[in-house]
Amino acid sequence: MLGTATSAGAVHDLKLFRQSGVRLPHDTALIGDAGDQGLWRSHGHAITTHKATRASPLSAEQRQENRVLAHARQGTLHAIRRTKIFRVLKGVYRHRRRRFALRVQLIAALCNLTRARPA
């Protein structure tokens, strides 16, 4: 994990990304899930999954693309799982809000250390 962003209260991931001010190089692919459909407005090289509706179900080709994206996002989801092992990040944080960002950064550093350690 290279960077973390927090906010006071519940904020959607996409809004938090825009508020954080993180700027990525334009040639970097940014892979999001189905909830991040407007991500391409902030980053021109964003890739999101296809969404099906009753009127237009997904074709076999679109389903295959969704599977490829899910496989690419799997490492990110495992990293999020490693952080949520710590009880502080599982539920609602009810302590001093100004220290929450520091605790998130410390937990991310611990997860990075355990991941970098040779087995």
Side-chain angles (χ1 to χ4, degrees):
M1 283 175 251
L2 298 176
T4 59
T6 58
S7 68
V11 177
H12 191 268
D13 297 342
L14 188 56
K15 187 172 184 180
L16 185 63
F17 172 70
R18 289 181 180 149
Q19 286 177 353
S20 69
V22 173
R23 299 293 170 239
L24 300 172
H26 290 291
D27 57 343
T28 304
L30 190 60
I31 300 174
D33 59 357
D36 300 332
Q37 291 296 315
L39 191 58
W40 57 269
R41 290 186 188 111
S42 299
H43 187 74
H45 209 73
I47 303 167
T48 56
T49 57
H50 300 285
K51 290 176 79 173
T53 62
R54 288 184 188 176
S56 61
L58 293 180
S59 66
E61 185 177 299
Q62 289 174 329
R63 274 192 243 110
Q64 182 62 30
E65 288 177 9
N66 283 352
R67 285 189 191 107
V68 170
L69 286 177
H71 184 71
R73 291 185 64 234
Q74 189 174 13
T76 304
L77 296 176
H78 285 307
I80 292 169
R81 182 194 63 84
R82 279 196 308 272
T83 61
K84 288 187 178 182
I85 289 173
F86 293 88
R87 187 170 175 87
V88 173
L89 297 180
K90 279 186 183 178
V92 177
Y93 187 73
R94 299 192 183 276
H95 301 289
R96 295 181 186 164
R97 290 189 186 263
R98 66 173 187 238
R99 293 191 180 177
F100 181 66
L102 175 66
R103 290 187 174 130
V104 169
Q105 290 174 352
L106 290 173
I107 289 171
L110 283 173
C111 291
N112 287 340
L113 280 175
T114 58
R115 187 74 176 148
R117 184 186 61 182

